[in-house]
Amino acid sequence: RIFVLGIGFFTLCFLMTSLGGQFSAKRLGDSPFTIRTEVMGALESRGVLRRMSDMLEMLMKRMDILARLENSTDFHKGDEARFPLDRFQPAAGLMERIQAIAQNVSDIAIKVDQILRNSLLNGKVVEGRRDQCEVPRDPKYPDCAGKVEWMRARWTSDPCYAFFGVDGTECSFLIYLSEVEWFCPPLPWRNRTAALPSPPPLPRVQAAFQSDLARLLELIGTGKESLSFMKKRIRHLAQQWLRAARHLEQKLKGRQRDQKHILIHIGFLTEESGDVFSPRVLKGGPLGEMVQWADILAALFLLGHSLRVTVSLKELQSHLGVPPGRGNCPLTNPLPFDLIYTDYHGLQQMKQHMGLSFKKYRCRVRVIDTFGTEPAYNHEEYATLRGYRTNWGYWNLQPTQFMTMFPHTPDNSFMGFVSEELNKTERQFIKSNKVSSMAVVYGKEASIWKGKEKFLAILNKYMEIHGTVYYETQRPPEVPAFVKNHGLLPQHEFQQLLRKAKLFIGFGFPYEGPAPLEAIANGCVFLQARFNPPHSSLNHEFFRGKPTSREVSSQHPYAEDFIGKPHVWTVDYNNSEEFEAAIKTIVRTQVDPYLPYEYTCEGMLERIHAYIQHQDFCTMSSPPLPPKAKSPAMQSPPSPLALSPNATHLVWSPSASRDPHAWPPVDSLQVWVSETRHACTETCRRRGLVCEPTFFRFLNKKEVFLQLSIACDSTEYEMNHLYPAVAENVHECYLQKEPLLFSCAGYNTKYRRLCPCRDYRKGQVALCRDCL
């Protein structure tokens, strides 16, 4: 009897819970994947009430039979019947309660039935609309029909569609495609009260230089060796950063600066990308990327901007407002960040999880790109057609959204990093304590030393050789016995080693790391190999697949081109006599510590400040597309360029109007014509200038050829990263059809290119003289 009563009681509880679940599941947000239309949900609820009433009646009948059976049994037991009858008194009370509940449920069912009948009558028009939605034929929305067809077949492929209310009906497809995405026109019968205009944005907070780096260290977080490395670096350079921030604050003289909300997502440190760097931090792995990211974090923080730092995909999704699912739907709310600094791994993660919002907000992204991305590799269609497609390119960003470690090509923005500066006392101490016969080899991995016995033997004749090669148990066999190997050194001890050494020598790899600049800043001479032929993606495995055609003439082109002798020597290592002669000269040469201004803390702060203040890829206007056919009535506006006094190049005309918001200022523009084997990068550099890709729009006109006395038998608009250019042998001129392909990089023996050049500040190649 107790068992039967228990079953009945728990059945009642289950039914009540089910009823509550039917109603509660209809509340938006409780379960986005069970949302149905109001009418369907109500009909189901009414059915549950009816079933519940029926089951309660059946339960009552069975309990009544049980009670009669019990009374009959107890009558034959006489006096003993009193105990079970007493025990059964609660059951009688339970029956009364169940009977009352059943009556209440029956009354509720009748009332709900009446309400639903009325709601069905009132909602018949809406229900009809939901069942009879047709795909609108609006020429303003040409993709609507195709998107609806896709939704019919694939709407269950990602839970995010159900999150936004898609339930498989035609109307839900159209509501989603018109209100969440923007491929279909709004439905006229939809209630638009929810789509009120958003309130005006709050007034901007002014950025103020920060002085407490402890807050930044908290933002970076813990849990990875790579994060610990970056925090140690920031702490080590803290005083230099703070001193540089004070100097820049005085230089800007209270200039108004909006505080930006910035997300820093270091994609290569996420578990989803493999995080190959963290385990290698303590084993001699490459640290250049982490050096740069640590300095970027410090600079952005000190400039007074509001930062969020993530090194996990879950944190990225949370900060962006990614709906649940596989990333096919747009963000649930407007992006809360003015800027996002990330890398190629993070860029891929954002594309996978932001849906259409990625295209909408990609203008706010800044990609930290060690080796650079040239326009020919960045433009997806062009890269695919012309064979420039790689694993890392084709993003269709503005090329200056990519930010590099060194100023490889002005097509990208030069971000850089910092090296430690020395005060006067430290510089004097280094000069007086240099060991002229001491050399340190650039390379912490044993593989770099393999096959270098010949060079090391020559060097050993004149200098004591030191290494910093990592090993766990026994000395690597690639390192000769006459080399004093210190093992992997902490950064501070490595700096002390460089301060004693006279020579820092590289054997061709790693390419373009921060260590040579640190060595030069500590008073070393840097000796490196000249590559003949230059290394590139065409002949060297390391560069294969990278989005650049750059030809690298030495291990560290920046040191070769921007610093040079006496601090940097680039020689042919295949020529033993040239190599040995360089060693002899370096031993006798006295050099002072040297650090280019752009690699100081103040130089980096100055550069990032200018980028944040002036680079706006969301509102920048694209140059007008070329006319298909030019009628006599269509006259081009007069060229703002004029021939220079010596008639060698074009400059901005004094009579032409200037946009005060243009950056860089147009006054810095000079237009030169390249030689057939020279890229614009080299053409400008030979004249003490820098190629400026944002000025290409002023050159991309037929009138400019005439001003330069270039005869054009024909002029064509085409997609080509070398245009505007002229093929002199046949007198054919070419203008650029696709603005994203304007490129300082690249050359062809067939063409002479039109090159936009500008001046630059001493020691700060990224900025023109009036760019700060």
Side-chain angles (χ1 to χ4, degrees):
R1 292 194 303 267
I2 294 174
F3 176 75
V4 174
L5 289 173
I7 290 294
F9 179 74
F10 286 114
T11 301
L12 176 62
C13 293
F14 172 76
L15 287 170
M16 295 300 292
T17 305
S18 299
L19 179 62
Q22 286 290 331
F23 285 117
S24 65
K26 305 307 163 192
R27 293 196 302 263
L28 185 63
D30 286 354
S31 179
F33 309 118
T34 57
I35 295 175
R36 300 176 178 85
T37 65
E38 294 91 346
V39 176
M40 287 298 296
L43 289 172
E44 292 171 3
S45 299
R46 182 173 59 183
V48 169
L49 284 169
R50 287 178 175 174
R51 291 194 299 273
M52 182 176 176
S53 180
D54 294 341
M55 293 183 70
L56 284 170
E57 289 182 12
M58 183 177 295
L59 179 63
M60 288 177 59
K61 290 178 181 178
R62 291 183 177 178
M63 291 187 69
D64 185 58
I65 294 171
L66 178 64
R68 287 199 298 271
L69 179 63
E70 191 74 18
N71 290 336
S72 173
T73 305
D74 292 340
F75 176 79
H76 294 290
K77 288 184 179 178
D79 293 339
E80 296 176 7
R82 286 175 296 181
F83 177 73
L85 282 173
D86 292 341
R87 187 178 61 179
F88 195 70
Q89 289 301 320
L94 179 62
M95 275 188 63
E96 292 176 359
R97 293 190 188 101
I98 292 175
Q99 188 173 6
I101 292 171
Q103 184 61 46
N104 290 335
V105 169
S106 179
D107 294 340
I108 292 172
I110 293 170
K111 291 179 181 178
V112 168
D113 186 69
Q114 293 173 349
I115 293 170
L116 290 175
R117 288 180 185 276
N118 293 332
S119 66
L120 279 173
L121 291 173
N122 295 332
K124 187 174 275 187
V125 176
V126 174
E127 177 67 18
R129 284 175 179 166
R130 297 188 67 88
D131 290 341
Q132 299 173 13
C133 282
E134 294 183 0
V135 179
R137 306 296 177 184
D138 190 333
K140 296 179 182 178
Y141 300 88
D143 299 322
C144 183
K147 290 294 180 180
V148 171
E149 188 67 31
W150 188 95
M151 291 290 288
R152 287 193 194 108
R154 301 291 304 279
W155 75 272
T156 58
S157 63
D158 194 323
C160 73
Y161 297 118
F163 175 83
F164 284 111
V166 177
D167 59 7
T169 62
E170 203 82 353
C171 288
S172 68
F173 298 154
L174 291 172
I175 292 170
Y176 174 83
L177 292 171
S178 62
E179 298 179 15
V180 180
E181 296 185 3
W182 44 89
F183 292 106
C184 295
L187 298 176
W189 53 270
R190 285 286 290 174
N191 185 358
R192 311 306 300 168
T193 56
L196 295 174
S198 56
L202 297 174
R204 282 285 185 181
V205 176
Q206 292 301 305
F209 282 89
Q210 300 292 314
S211 58
D212 183 11
L213 284 169
R215 171 60 183 149
L216 172 61
L217 300 179
E218 291 178 9
L219 286 172
I220 294 174
T222 59
K224 292 178 180 286
E225 288 294 342
S226 48
L227 298 180
S228 299
F229 172 86
M230 289 192 283
K231 291 166 73 171
K232 287 178 183 177
R233 176 174 174 82
I234 292 171
R235 279 193 289 263
H236 180 68
L237 295 174
Q239 293 306 311
Q240 294 191 23
W241 278 118
L242 294 173
R243 186 164 56 249
R246 288 193 296 269
H247 289 170
L248 181 59
E249 186 175 15
Q250 294 170 3
K251 190 182 298 185
L252 295 177
K253 297 177 181 178
R255 193 177 305 175
Q256 295 296 305
R257 299 182 302 116
D258 288 342
Q259 185 188 63
K260 304 291 185 181
H261 296 279
I262 300 176
L263 174 65
I264 297 103
H265 176 61
I266 311 177
F268 72 85
L269 292 183
T270 62
E271 299 299 329
E272 289 77 11
S273 67
D275 189 14
V276 297
F277 284 87
S278 293
R280 301 173 65 188
V281 168
L282 303 178
K283 297 182 179 181
L287 303 178
E289 286 86 352
M290 281 175 281
V291 164
Q292 187 181 32
W293 274 109
D295 297 345
I296 290 170
L297 285 163
L300 291 172
F301 180 82
L302 288 169
L303 286 170
H305 299 293
S306 174
L307 308 184
R308 291 290 181 271
V309 183
T310 70
V311 291
S312 79
L313 187 56
K314 286 185 178 180
E315 287 179 336
L316 174 68
Q317 293 172 321
S318 174
H319 286 309
L320 295 179
V322 175
R326 300 188 179 95
N328 289 313
C329 297
L331 302 183
T332 53
N333 295 302
L335 186 70
F337 300 102
D338 303 301
L339 293 170
I340 299 177
Y341 286 82
T342 188
D343 52 24
Y344 262 123
H345 295 281
L347 195 63
Q348 184 66 44
Q349 292 168 349
M350 289 167 56
K351 182 180 180 182
Q352 289 175 347
H353 293 89
M354 290 177 66
L356 288 176
S357 295
F358 178 75
K359 286 187 177 180
K360 181 178 180 181
Y361 294 120
R362 64 183 175 185
C363 60
R364 304 188 191 183
V365 174
R366 305 293 183 266
V367 184
I368 307 304
D369 177 11
T370 304
F371 287 92
T373 300
E374 294 174 4
Y377 296 81
N378 171 61
H379 192 281
E380 184 174 14
E381 179 186 358
Y382 185 77
T384 303
L385 292 174
R386 301 294 184 93
Y388 290 104
R389 191 170 178 116
T390 66
N391 292 333
W392 302 103
Y394 62 85
W395 286 94
N396 291 325
L397 301 177
Q398 293 292 333
T400 39
Q401 287 179 255
F402 296 99
M403 299 186 146
T404 58
M405 184 172 281
F406 292 95
H408 310 302
T409 169
D411 292 322
N412 304 145
S413 298
F414 164 44
M415 171 60 77
F417 57 93
V418 304
S419 287
E420 189 170 355
E421 300 174 69
L422 304 177
N423 56 38
K424 290 183 179 179
T425 303
E426 291 171 327
R427 293 167 66 90
Q428 189 60 42
F429 178 82
I430 287 175
K431 289 179 68 175
S432 60
N433 287 274
K434 276 290 178 186
V435 179
S436 59
S437 61
M438 179 177 173
V440 175
V441 174
Y442 181 17
K444 295 174 291 186
E445 296 183 0
S447 59
I448 296 173
W449 295 64
K450 189 175 182 179
K452 306 301 187 299
E453 296 82 2
K454 182 179 179 181
F455 310 131
L456 291 169
I458 296 174
L459 179 61
N460 191 47
K461 289 164 53 178
Y462 302 93
M463 309 185 84
E464 181 182 76
I465 305 174
H466 294 250
T468 57
V469 182
Y470 168 80
Y471 63 94
E472 291 183 350
T473 55
Q474 60 183 13
R475 182 187 178 97
E478 293 88 348
V479 181
F482 55 78
V483 174
K484 184 178 181 181
N485 186 33
H486 299 262
L488 191 64
L489 294 177
Q491 186 67 16
H492 177 69
E493 294 182 28
F494 181 65
Q495 292 275 358
Q496 297 302 317
L497 189 66
L498 292 177
R499 293 183 179 187
K500 292 181 181 179
K502 179 62 176 285
L503 176 66
F504 189 63
I505 181 171
F507 287 136
F509 190 84
Y511 295 101
E512 300 176 305
L517 288 189
E518 294 176 353
I520 296 168
N522 282 286
C524 293
V525 174
F526 177 52
L527 177 65
Q528 63 173 345
R530 180 184 297 116
F531 301 148
N532 189 17
H535 292 180
S536 70
S537 58
L538 299 177
N539 62 11
H540 202 276
E541 186 61 33
F542 178 82
F543 290 99
R544 195 161 290 128
K546 292 184 170 58
T548 174
S549 297
R550 189 161 52 95
E551 296 179 331
V552 178
S553 58
S554 62
Q555 182 175 353
H556 207 290
Y558 176 86
E560 178 185 6
D561 297 332
F562 288 86
I563 301 178
K565 292 181 179 179
H567 301 280
V568 179
W569 289 64
T570 306
V571 300
D572 182 3
Y573 279 24
N574 293 320
N575 187 328
S576 300
E577 294 180 358
E578 182 182 355
F579 179 80
E580 188 166 2
I583 298 295
K584 292 178 181 179
T585 306
I586 289 169
V587 170
R588 299 192 303 266
T589 303
Q590 295 294 322
V591 296
D592 293 330
Y594 173 73
L595 179 62
Y597 174 75
E598 55 200 359
Y599 284 98
T600 65
C601 292
E602 186 173 348
M604 187 168 184
L605 283 171
E606 184 180 276
R607 193 164 56 249
I608 294 182
H609 155 74
Y611 289 152
I612 291 177
Q613 289 297 110
H614 299 292
Q615 285 186 336
D616 184 355
F617 303 109
C618 297
T619 60
M620 64 183 298
S621 57
S622 300
L625 294 175
K628 294 181 179 178
K630 203 167 191 177
S631 64
M634 295 175 66
Q635 297 295 328
S636 298
S639 172
L641 305 175
L643 202 61
S644 64
N646 57 6
T648 57
H649 59 282
L650 300 180
V651 296
W652 194 264
S653 173
S655 61
S657 61
R658 294 170 174 80
D659 181 358
H661 301 291
W663 194 83
V666 293
D667 306 75
S668 61
L669 169 63
Q670 296 184 27
V671 182
W672 291 84
V673 183
S674 77
E675 299 298 327
T676 55
R677 294 183 178 273
H678 291 172
C680 285
T681 304
E682 185 176 1
T683 298
C684 296
R685 184 183 300 158
R686 289 184 170 220
R687 290 160 178 84
L689 304 169
V690 176
C691 181
E692 178 51 62
T694 60
F695 288 156
F696 267 112
R697 65 185 188 274
F698 301 120
L699 282 59
N700 200 43
K701 300 177 181 178
K702 184 176 180 179
E703 292 76 17
V704 176
F705 291 110
L706 298 176
Q707 288 181 290
L708 290 166
S709 301
I710 296 174
C712 299
D713 292 342
S714 65
T715 305
E716 301 290 339
Y717 282 91
E718 293 183 11
M719 277 203 318
N720 192 308
H721 69 288
L722 302 179
Y723 295 166
V726 55
E728 285 193 325
N729 293 339
V730 292
H731 300 286
E732 293 176 348
C733 297
Y734 299 93
L735 297 175
Q736 182 59 256
K737 186 179 179 180
E738 172 50 68
L740 284 180
L741 286 174
F742 283 136
S743 176
C744 292
Y747 68 89
N748 188 301
T749 56
K750 177 182 176 182
Y751 302 118
R752 295 184 68 195
R753 302 188 56 191
L754 300 190
C755 299
C757 307
R758 64 161 170 82
D759 56 35
Y760 61 92
R761 303 180 72 220
K762 183 179 180 181
Q764 186 71 287
V765 70
L767 305 179
C768 69
R769 290 172 190 162
D770 298 321
C771 276
L772 187 58

